[in-house]
């Protein structure tokens, strides 16, 4: 499940490889097919298929819920593109239900992150004691790790660090995930978000950073996107680069609070492409099955609802997940060469500014391969470079998806005659007109573009 790290950029001698910084050398079309089965983006879901009687159907003659721990339910999960499930409902290690879940996960190629509330307390013990408690469950091939803490305050970092230091000494756990999910910008209190993330990395630093930030609101009249969302992503990605950590990012897969929006395909698409623009390699749905505490409220439905039915959110997630998985190996060739994010105000933005763009602390001001960009709607452009020197760009329509605004985009590249374009999971090679690529982005849509100079 680990992505391959590019530890150094090889010194390339052939003229075809000396293409990165806008040079005029002739390039061949890049080919990433050899990595198709090796490099992957992963989609995770919080809340596993629950056991019998998890949902209580009070006030009716309908019996309480059946067990959803079945092979069919794990196959359904994998069909949606989700290959990591994060436990939320279960508490007992190595229980019959958990072991059954692991067996079905193993059969379908899903990885299971189990849950145990007392992991932090084991930080006061020895590696031997922790391994004795956790070893039976974490030794299972389908068990990817253990949930430790959700949204800790900075005051809890010391105890988390103690527990992780013990966990990290256990050889059998070296490929297991010590799962902590951090607060977003709007939850850290008096400290700055940079201070919160920096303190976490210095004290805990458990191989990856996972954060939940749910950006979309809707009050029945007005759609809004949280202005700190991009800054949140920027802060996390900068820390991941600094400390050599992987970037995990939650997706708003339900109505997270009363004023937030029920997500659809366009919302999920924008969240995923923007997360990838900031180097995310694992996208986590909040939530997969609907947690029992949400109740049967239709507005609180997740990918699977309170009654075990697939929802419109499941259908939207399946569509966008599988579009991404069609070219994720290409993206993964570039992710370690993340260079930064550029922002462009759209010609139809009458205010001529975007507060979210203004909050960014380390935006990329320009790129040698891009001569000019024109866009009707606000546009986010992320720049990458692969190990062979090819430039890659994710370009995402940043108009609020709920407004359903498409955007005509025109990008002129330096020293480029063609562009390899990945759109909605399909690859095409486009001939450029004097270096210019013209296309239309749907609401919330992103594209991955590799300009090449083929002579």
């Amino acid at each position: 499940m680990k992505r391959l790290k590019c530890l150094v950029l090889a010194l390339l001698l052939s003229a075809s490889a000396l293409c990165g910084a806008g040079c005029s050398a002739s390039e061949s079309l890049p080919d990433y097919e050899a990595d198709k089965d090796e490099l992957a983006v992963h989609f995770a879901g919080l809340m596993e298929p629950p056991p019998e009687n998890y949902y209580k159907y009070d006030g009716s003659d309908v019996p309480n819920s059946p067990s959803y721990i079945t092979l069919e339910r794990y196959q359904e999960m994998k069909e949606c593109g989700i290959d990591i499930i994060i436990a939320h409902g279960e508490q007992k290690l190595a229980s019959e239900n958990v072991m059954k879940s692991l067996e079905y996960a193993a059969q379908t190629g899903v990885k299971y992150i189990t849950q145990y509330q007392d992991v932090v307390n084991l930080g006061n013990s020895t590696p031997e004691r922790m391994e004795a408690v956790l070893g039976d469950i974490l030794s299972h091939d389908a068990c990817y790790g253990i949930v430790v803490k959700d949204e800790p305050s900075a005051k809890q970092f010391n105890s988390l660090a103690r527990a992780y230091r013990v966990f990290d000494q256990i050889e059998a756990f070296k490929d297991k995930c010590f799962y902590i999910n951090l607060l977003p910008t709007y939850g850290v209190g008096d400290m700055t978000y940079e201070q919160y993330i920096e303190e976490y990395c210095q004290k805990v630093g458990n191989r990856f950073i996972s954060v939940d930030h749910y950006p979309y609101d809707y009050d029945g009249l007005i759609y809004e996107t949280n202005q700190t969302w991009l800054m949140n992503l920027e802060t996390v990605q900068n820390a991941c680069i600094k400390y050599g950590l992987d970037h995990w990012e939650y997706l708003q897969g339900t109505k997270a609070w009363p004023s937030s929006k029920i997500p659809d395909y366009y919302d999920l698409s924008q969240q995923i492409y923007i997360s990838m623009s900031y180097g995310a390699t694992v996208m986590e749905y909040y939530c997969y099955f609907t947690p029992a505490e949400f109740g049967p409220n239709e507005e609180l439905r997740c990918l699977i609802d309170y009654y075990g039915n697939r929802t419109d959110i499941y259908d939207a997630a399946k569509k966008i997940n599988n579009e991404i998985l069609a070219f994720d190996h290409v993206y993964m060739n570039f992710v370690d060469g993340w260079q930064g994010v550029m922002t462009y105000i759209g010609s139809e933005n009458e205010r001529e500014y975007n507060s979210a763009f203004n909050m960014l602390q380390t935006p990329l001001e320009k790129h040698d391969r891009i001569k000019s960009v024109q866009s009707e709607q606000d546009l986010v452009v992320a720049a990458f470079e692969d190990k062979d020197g090819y430039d890659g760009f994710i370009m995402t329509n940043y108009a609020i998806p709920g407004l359903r605004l498409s955007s005509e985009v025109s990008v002129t590249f330096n020293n480029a005659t063609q562009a390899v374009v990945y759109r909605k999971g399909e690859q095409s090679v486009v001939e450029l007109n004097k270096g210019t690529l013209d296309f239309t982005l749907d609401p919330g849509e992103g594209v991955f573009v590799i300009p090449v100079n083929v002579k």
Side-chain angles (χ1 to χ4, degrees):
M1 299 295 292
K2 284 183 174 292
R3 64 185 175 95
L4 300 180
K5 295 283 189 179
C6 298
L7 301 179
V8 294
L9 290 178
L11 189 62
L12 302 170
L13 300 179
S14 67
S16 64
L18 296 174
C19 57
C23 70
S24 59
S26 179
E27 303 170 284
S28 58
L29 292 175
D31 183 0
Y32 303 103
E33 285 305 296
D35 298 318
K36 196 163 188 176
D37 296 327
E38 298 296 327
L39 301 178
V41 163
H42 299 287
F43 289 99
L46 179 69
M47 183 66 225
E48 72 283 14
E52 185 178 12
N53 296 325
Y54 179 75
Y55 301 114
K56 309 296 184 183
Y57 303 143
D58 296 335
S60 76
D61 295 329
V62 179
N64 292 334
S65 61
S67 175
Y68 293 115
I69 305 174
T70 65
L71 179 61
E72 290 74 22
R73 285 295 182 172
Y74 276 84
Q75 290 171 333
E76 175 181 60
M77 187 189 306
K78 193 64 184 293
E79 288 169 7
C80 188
I82 292 174
D83 64 355
I84 301 174
I85 192 69
I86 303 165
H88 173 76
E90 55 95 346
Q91 300 290 344
K92 295 181 180 179
L93 284 173
S95 69
E96 180 181 349
N97 287 329
V98 174
M99 298 310 294
K100 190 184 299 183
S101 298
L102 284 166
E103 289 306 313
Y104 293 139
Q107 290 181 50
T108 53
V110 171
K111 292 296 185 181
Y112 189 97
I113 300 179
T114 192
Q115 185 184 50
Y116 180 57
Q117 288 184 329
D118 292 329
V119 177
V120 176
N121 293 332
L122 291 175
N124 297 315
S125 63
T126 64
E128 291 74 20
R129 171 62 180 160
M130 183 179 284
E131 185 172 9
V133 173
L134 304 180
D136 285 349
I137 187 76
L138 264 66
S139 64
H140 196 290
D141 287 344
C143 186
Y144 191 42
I146 191 160
V147 176
V148 179
K149 186 66 179 177
D150 184 45
E151 296 188 333
S153 69
K155 293 179 181 179
Q156 297 171 301
F157 289 167
N158 287 334
S159 61
L160 292 172
R162 282 196 300 273
Y164 180 63
R165 282 195 293 270
V166 176
F167 184 92
D168 198 42
Q169 293 178 57
I170 302 171
E171 185 63 31
F173 297 173
K174 288 299 183 184
D175 62 345
K176 304 298 181 179
C177 132
F178 189 83
Y179 184 87
I180 299 169
N181 178 63
L182 298 179
L183 287 161
T185 50
Y186 45 79
V188 299
D190 294 336
M191 65 194 317
T192 69
Y193 198 62
E194 290 82 358
Q195 289 170 334
Y196 175 77
I197 295 295
E198 179 69 18
E199 187 170 336
Y200 175 79
C201 291
Q202 289 187 4
K203 289 185 175 181
V204 187
N206 60 323
R207 306 176 200 166
F208 66 95
I209 302 176
S210 172
V211 171
D212 54 15
H213 189 299
Y214 307 125
Y216 303 124
D217 278 347
Y218 178 55
D219 65 1
L221 292 173
I222 299 173
Y223 294 101
E224 292 183 321
T225 300
N226 190 286
Q227 295 178 357
T228 67
W229 181 35
L230 295 184
M231 184 267 282
N232 198 127
L233 286 158
E234 175 190 63
T235 303
V236 171
Q237 177 63 0
N238 284 338
C240 287
I241 296 294
K242 179 178 179 179
Y243 290 98
L245 307 177
D246 290 340
H247 186 167
W248 294 32
E249 194 70 32
Y250 263 97
L251 306 174
Q252 182 175 330
T254 187
K255 190 180 174 93
W257 52 76
S259 66
S260 69
K261 182 183 182 298
I262 299 171
D264 55 29
Y265 169 80
Y266 304 99
D267 301 313
L268 296 180
S269 176
Q270 188 182 76
Q271 287 183 86
I272 290 169
Y273 276 103
I274 291 294
S275 296
M276 290 168 64
S277 295
Y278 283 95
T281 57
V282 179
M283 266 67 72
E284 310 160 83
Y285 280 94
Y286 176 82
C287 296
Y288 184 63
F289 262 78
T290 298
E293 59 265 29
F294 285 17
N297 187 337
E298 173 66 13
E299 286 203 340
L300 296 180
R301 66 187 183 276
C302 299
L303 277 69
I304 307 295
D305 72 11
Y306 190 81
Y307 297 99
N309 302 310
R310 298 182 185 185
T311 68
D312 54 335
I313 305 172
Y314 174 96
D315 294 336
K318 180 178 179 179
K319 181 178 179 182
I320 185 61
N321 291 353
N322 285 292
E323 287 175 7
I324 298 298
L325 293 174
F327 76 97
D328 60 334
H329 60 292
V330 178
Y331 167 73
M332 292 299 291
N333 266 279
F334 285 84
V335 72
D336 283 316
W338 183 80
Q339 297 173 327
V341 169
M342 297 171 284
T343 59
Y344 297 89
I345 298 297
S347 61
E348 294 190 358
N349 182 340
E350 295 179 355
R351 296 177 300 174
E352 298 183 348
Y353 76 94
N354 186 312
S355 298
F357 294 175
N358 294 341
M359 289 184 180
L360 295 176
Q361 300 297 307
T362 59
L364 190 63
E365 299 295 338
K366 62 180 181 178
H367 193 281
D368 289 342
R369 200 65 186 266
I370 293 181
K371 183 177 182 180
S372 65
V373 174
Q374 295 177 334
S375 177
E376 287 183 328
Q377 308 301 330
D378 292 354
L379 185 72
V380 171
V381 178
F384 303 82
E385 185 179 38
D386 77 356
K387 62 182 176 58
D388 294 321
Y390 287 97
D391 295 310
F393 302 94
I394 295 177
M395 303 180 182
T396 307
N397 182 350
Y398 197 70
I400 297 171
L403 299 178
R404 297 293 191 265
L405 298 174
S406 297
S407 184
E408 298 289 337
V409 179
S410 181
V411 181
T412 300
F413 296 101
N414 290 315
N415 301 312
T417 59
Q418 296 177 333
V420 184
V421 179
Y422 296 88
R423 183 177 187 187
K424 298 186 185 299
E426 298 290 333
Q427 176 190 321
S428 62
V429 179
V430 180
E431 296 290 334
L432 302 183
N433 180 13
K434 297 180 180 179
T436 299
L437 175 67
D438 296 318
F439 56 97
T440 301
L441 286 174
D442 291 338
E445 186 182 10
V447 296
F448 192 89
V449 179
I450 306 170
V452 288
N453 190 35
V454 178
K455 295 182 179 179

